[in-house]
Amino acid sequence: MKKVTVQYLFGGVINEMDNEEGILFTNGKVFVAGGNEIGLYNAIGTENKDVVTVDLDNDTEEFMREDPTVLIELMAAV
């Protein structure tokens, strides 16, 4: 696990004002908590190893909506 900055691609645009801190897991999922919501998404690496992108235009699956226990399983695997 590693703390990263999460940027979101939405409508073909990344707005830095929407960036959040997140925890990147070794399986490529990133956990974010902000704005009274939590989420678990697929992360895309960037040139900066401390920044990942969540592509909401092409990959809108938010894993915890379907199965909230997935976060517990990720944390137990660490």
Side-chain angles (χ1 to χ4, degrees), residues 34-72:
N36 295 325
E37 294 185 19
I38 59 174
L40 185 67
Y41 301 93
N42 286 320
I44 301 168
T46 67
E47 291 180 7
N48 182 338
K49 63 182 174 116
D50 295 323
V51 178
V52 298
T53 300
V54 171
D55 184 351
L56 297 176
D57 289 339
N58 297 301
D59 185 7
T60 59
E61 183 169 7
E62 195 281 291
F63 294 95
M64 291 187 346
R65 287 187 209 279
E66 299 298 320
D67 183 7
T69 64
V70 72
L71 179 61
I72 293 169

Side-chain angles (χ1 to χ4, degrees), residues 11-46:
V13 176
I14 294 174
N15 184 342
E16 289 188 19
M17 292 183 65
D18 295 330
N19 289 1
E20 299 181 288
E21 290 185 338
I23 300 294
L24 179 64
F25 290 89
T26 56
N27 69 351
K29 303 272 189 284
V30 63
F31 172 77
V32 293
N36 295 325
E37 294 185 19
I38 59 174
L40 185 67
Y41 301 93
N42 286 320
I44 301 168
T46 67

